Amino acid sequence: MTEFIQKKLSDSKAARWTALAIVAFTMLCGYFLTDVMSPLKPMLEAELAWTSTDFGFFTSAYGWFNVFFLMLIFGGMILDKMGVRFTGMMSCILMLVGCAIKYAAIAGYIGTSGEILGFKAQVAYASLGYAIFGMGVEIAGITVSKVIVKWFKGKELALAMGLEMATARIGTMLAMAITVPFAKYFQSVSAPVLLCLIMLCIGTISYMVYVVMDKKLEASMAGEEEEKEEPFRFSDVFLIIRNRGFWLIALLCVLFYSAVFPFIKYATDLMVNKYGVEQELAGFIPSLLPLGTLFLTPFFGNLYDRHGKGASIMLLGAVMLIIVHLLFALPILNVWWFATAIMIVLGIAFSLVPSAMWPSVPKIIPEKQLGTAYALIFWVQNWGLMGVPALIGWVLDSYCKLDTTNGGPAYDYTLPMVIFMCFGIVALFVAFLLKREDKKKGYGLELPNIQ
């Protein structure tokens, strides 16, 4: 038996870390488009006459198909039924199609006049493209999570997930830091979206390389009964949703990410309006958040692998989230260096929670149900990613507009920051419940991953 295990491709450190690097790069390309429009909000208002409500509507489109048409859940079922190769390529194609439609709208090739559902046609078409892309990138996310479990279970699972998330966050960092200078250089608000389209093409080719590696992995596992997955059954969905630990993880996920990702969408505008940072430089401060995760998420993941304390890590991250948004809400020290310091702390919190949360799912859910479980968690998360940006955009237009003499829109971000802080408070309560449930059910969230 020992000789057979040594022949598994995933037992080769070089092979499993190479596989991780390939799929992580694909996610990097996807995350670049996810956040590329965030720093462009002032330019969209100035050049394309978008409002905060338009921007919130567009940003909320990310979750339309995932939430209302249950595409994430179907994606998880497809993943468990068809495997990571088919599902991964399908998600790459969806990302490419969505990005192409979004670019065509922002560049003015479609939707230059008229209205759809009461919104500018351009906003509606861009939102449709973003919705298709959102479906693709979220399915890609659950696929890559299962890829990592497939290669790293019983090994450096949390570290691998941390490194994948950190690499993907480089895409977010690039989107926040270079988007406005890139758009200004080419004198086009659509130029960064075209760059995203090119990167997604490269990311799709990258995943094709992984497909070859996955075939070799399965060939090396042929005949090993313990690695052979049982067939997925629809009844597995009911087994998952009856699991209390699953729902606590899902709730923690939606609350935490609702206080981070929608915040990133408006963070550049916050820097301009509250801290007086120049528009060309405003994106660099929020870019520190994903930059911090590049180093800290793998560190905390490795800590979880070797020493455990996953539930405690999630508790600490929720506390830090509350403190950060409270400081952003308070009318004190409205200077760039204070905003930078707070953003660094948020980066630490953003590293703590995911580094423990995602590797905890395989401790609660059997491996044959993981695709569907991750899909259900992402589906719950998408309610927040869809609803919160729209809520913040409406709140800004309805309650936070300031009188200005220069003709440009300006906003008081105190109320949005209080809303984000409330998500953190509820997340802290859920984290306490999860820790208590772990003690009762013995999931092992406080135990190391490396056996």
Side-chain angles (χ1 to χ4, degrees):
M1 182 67 177
T2 302
E3 291 181 1
F4 184 83
I5 291 177
Q6 288 175 346
K7 292 179 182 177
K8 277 171 54 184
L9 188 59
S10 58
D11 286 323
S12 164
K13 280 190 175 182
R16 67 176 178 265
W17 289 110
T18 299
L20 176 68
I22 291 170
V23 297
F25 176 75
T26 300
M27 292 307 298
L28 182 156
C29 297
Y31 272 66
F32 185 50
L33 180 61
T34 299
D35 292 301
V36 77
M37 296 288 280
S38 304
L40 296 174
K41 182 177 181 287
M43 292 184 68
L44 291 167
E45 291 173 339
E47 297 182 19
L48 302 182
W50 285 28
T51 64
S52 286
T53 303
D54 289 334
F55 184 79
F57 176 79
F58 162 79
T59 305
S60 73
Y62 183 90
W64 287 353
F65 294 134
N66 295 328
V67 170
F68 295 123
F69 294 99
L70 307 180
M71 294 310 297
L72 249 177
I73 297 175
F74 289 128
M77 293 178 182
I78 292 169
L79 174 59
D80 283 332
K81 192 74 175 175
M82 304 298 294
V84 297
R85 297 195 293 270
F86 175 87
T87 314
M89 289 307 305
M90 177 187 74
S91 62
C92 287
I93 292 169
L94 287 171
M95 286 193 285
L96 281 170
V97 171
C99 183
I101 295 172
K102 178 177 171 179
Y103 171 69
I106 301 298
Y109 296 119
I110 56 176
T112 53
S113 60
E115 290 188 353
I116 299 175
L117 300 176
F119 287 88
K120 301 180 185 70
Q122 181 187 58
V123 174
Y125 280 118
S127 301
L128 174 64
Y130 196 39
I132 295 171
F133 165 80
M135 179 169 53
V137 75
E138 289 290 296
I139 294 174
I142 62 174
T143 302
V144 167
S145 295
K146 192 163 184 178
V147 165
I148 295 171
V149 173
K150 188 174 185 178
W151 286 79
F152 286 89
K153 188 175 183 181
K155 302 180 178 71
E156 312 94 338
L157 179 61
L159 175 60
M161 285 192 168
L163 284 169
E164 184 274 325
M165 284 185 280
T167 305
R169 299 290 180 255
I170 295 176
T172 301
M173 181 188 71
L174 290 173
M176 303 305 295
I178 73 169
T179 295
V180 172
F182 193 83
K184 297 264 188 186
Y185 179 81
F186 287 98
Q187 298 182 336
S188 171
V189 73
S190 65
V193 185
L194 178 59
L195 176 61
C196 290
L197 185 58
I198 295 169
M199 287 185 64
L200 281 173
C201 290
I202 300 171
T204 301
I205 295 170
S206 175
Y207 199 85
M208 290 177 181
V209 175
Y210 170 75
V211 166
V212 176
M213 290 192 69
D214 190 78
K215 287 181 179 178
K216 291 182 178 180
L217 172 63
E218 292 199 346
S220 72
M221 290 165 54
E224 187 175 343
E225 288 298 321
E226 64 180 81
E227 293 290 347
K228 193 178 292 183
E229 292 187 4
E230 299 176 45
F232 170 78
R233 299 179 179 86
F234 189 78
S235 58
D236 290 340
V237 176
F238 297 99
L239 293 175
I240 294 168
I241 62 178
R242 287 203 300 264
N243 188 319
R244 180 180 171 88
F246 162 79
W247 280 111
L248 291 172
I249 285 275
L251 284 173
L252 184 62
C253 176
V254 67
L255 290 165
F256 182 80
Y257 281 109
S258 291
V260 176
F261 282 130
F263 167 77
I264 291 175
K265 303 295 184 188
Y266 291 92
T268 300
D269 203 41
L270 170 69
M271 297 302 119
V272 173
N273 281 274
K274 182 174 182 180
Y275 296 98
V277 182
E278 291 294 325
Q279 185 181 330
E280 290 80 1
L281 302 174
F284 283 94
I285 296 177
S287 75
L288 295 174
L289 193 156
L291 178 63
T293 64
L294 178 62
F295 304 102
L296 293 174
T297 307
F299 171 78
F300 292 130
N302 187 51
L303 192 69
Y304 185 22
D305 277 332
R306 299 182 183 279
H307 303 288
K309 306 298 180 184
S312 300
I313 289 173
M314 288 183 262
L315 272 170
L316 178 59
V319 171
M320 295 176 70
L321 192 68
I322 296 167
I323 294 171
V324 163
H325 287 305
L326 174 62
L327 291 174
F328 274 128
L330 293 174
I332 58 172
L333 293 175
N334 294 340
V335 289
W336 69 269
W337 59 263
F338 185 66
T340 302
I342 302 174
M343 199 67 69
I344 291 171
V345 176
L346 180 57
I348 297 171
F350 194 34
S351 304
L352 274 168
V353 175
S355 69
M357 181 169 59
W358 297 116
S360 294
V361 178
K363 292 185 174 183
I364 298 174
I365 302 296
E367 187 172 351
K368 77 185 184 78
Q369 300 166 358
L370 269 183
T372 303
Y374 277 124
L376 286 166
I377 292 172
F378 276 52
W379 178 72
V380 174
Q381 174 188 313
N382 268 252
W383 278 96
L385 298 184
M386 178 192 68
V388 176
L391 170 66
I392 298 300
W394 175 77
V395 166
L396 285 171
D397 269 340
S398 301
Y399 302 104
C400 305
K401 271 192 173 180
L402 301 175
D403 292 329
T404 57
T405 55
N406 59 10
Y411 305 95
D412 177 0
Y413 267 86
T414 302
L415 183 55
M417 294 303 106
V418 170
I419 292 172
F420 289 133
M421 184 183 70
C422 290
F423 287 127
I425 292 170
V426 182
L428 177 62
F429 175 70
V430 174
F432 271 115
L433 292 179
L434 180 62
K435 188 168 184 176
R436 189 177 69 173
E437 185 73 7
D438 178 50
K439 286 182 179 179
K440 288 171 58 178
K441 298 292 179 65
Y443 293 130
L445 303 186
E446 296 287 276
L447 299 177
N449 292 318
I450 296 178
Q451 305 298 323

